[in-house]
Amino acid sequence: MRAATPLVVNGPVLYCLSPALYPPVGGYAFSTSGSSEDETHALVNYMRSRHWKRIAILTPTDATGQEFERVIHQLMALPENRELQIVAFEHFAPADLSVAAQMSKIKDSHPDVLMAWGTGTPTATEYHAIKDAASTFPWWAPTATRAMRRWISGRRSCRANIINTR
């Protein structure tokens, strides 16, 4: 996605589903949502306001996941987040068919909330694992993939389009 941005300086249009794209002003590259930095910062503030201190993370190893990892580590280093703790940080390859092992580790860490970051096919893999593991903790995913949550049966609607709880 970032590698393609210089190719569309004068067109054609690049429309990216990932929040990890930071398109230049006046260019022909567009992102479907807010930036990874803005979304993650807002979520961390929300988690802090809910007193969710034990955070589990599940993210793909693609560019979107790498960008999220960079951002979350920066945010966790801020003084206001000193009480927050990452209790599980699990990765998976975008082509993986299952993340059941990662979800097992996440459940065993007893998180207050799960941040399941990704776009496209990797997100569906995460959602299958969340459903199959019958998790009882709230979980969150980026804006571009919120609509995919609807297929998970037995879930309440998203709170403020950010947090999905049981």
Side-chain angles (χ1 to χ4, degrees), residues 111-127:
D112 295 328
V113 64
L114 167 64
M115 299 172 78
W117 193 269
T119 57
T121 304
T123 305
T125 304
E126 291 173 319
Y127 292 173

Side-chain angles (χ1 to χ4, degrees), residues 25-94:
V25 175
Y28 288 87
F30 301 92
S31 180
T32 61
S33 62
S35 70
S36 296
E37 291 175 354
D38 292 341
E39 286 194 25
T40 308
H41 189 80
L43 177 64
V44 169
N45 286 342
Y46 181 78
M47 289 186 307
R48 219 176 36 246
S49 75
R50 296 292 306 247
H51 304 287
W52 291 337
K53 297 178 181 179
R54 297 176 54 81
I55 302 165
I57 296 171
L58 179 61
T59 185
T61 56
D62 61 8
T64 301
Q66 291 171 14
E67 171 66 6
F68 169 75
E69 191 163 346
R70 179 192 69 79
V71 170
I72 194 66
H73 285 305
Q74 284 180 345
L75 288 172
M76 295 302 284
L78 296 175
E80 62 264 29
N81 297 327
R82 68 182 170 275
E83 292 184 8
L84 303 180
Q85 176 187 11
I86 296 176
V87 295
F89 205 127
E90 296 296 323
H91 299 88
F92 66 99

Side-chain angles (χ1 to χ4, degrees), residues 43 46-47 50 52 54-58 68 103 106-107 111-118 122-166:
L43 177 64
Y46 181 78
M47 289 186 307
R50 296 292 306 247
W52 291 337
R54 297 176 54 81
I55 302 165
I57 296 171
L58 179 61
F68 169 75
M103 276 304 298
I106 287 169
K107 280 186 74 172
D112 295 328
V113 64
L114 167 64
M115 299 172 78
W117 193 269
T123 305
T125 304
E126 291 173 319
Y127 292 173
H128 272 285
I130 291 167
K131 178 184 176 190
D132 293 346
S135 62
T136 58
F137 42 79
W139 58 278
W140 178 87
T143 307
T145 57
R146 285 188 193 131
M148 291 177 62
R149 293 187 205 167
R150 294 181 185 148
W151 71 267
I152 297 180
S153 61
R155 296 266 182 204
R156 292 185 198 155
S157 62
C158 301
R159 276 193 195 146
N161 282 336
I162 295 177
I163 300 292
N164 192 334
T165 60
R166 277 192 137 335

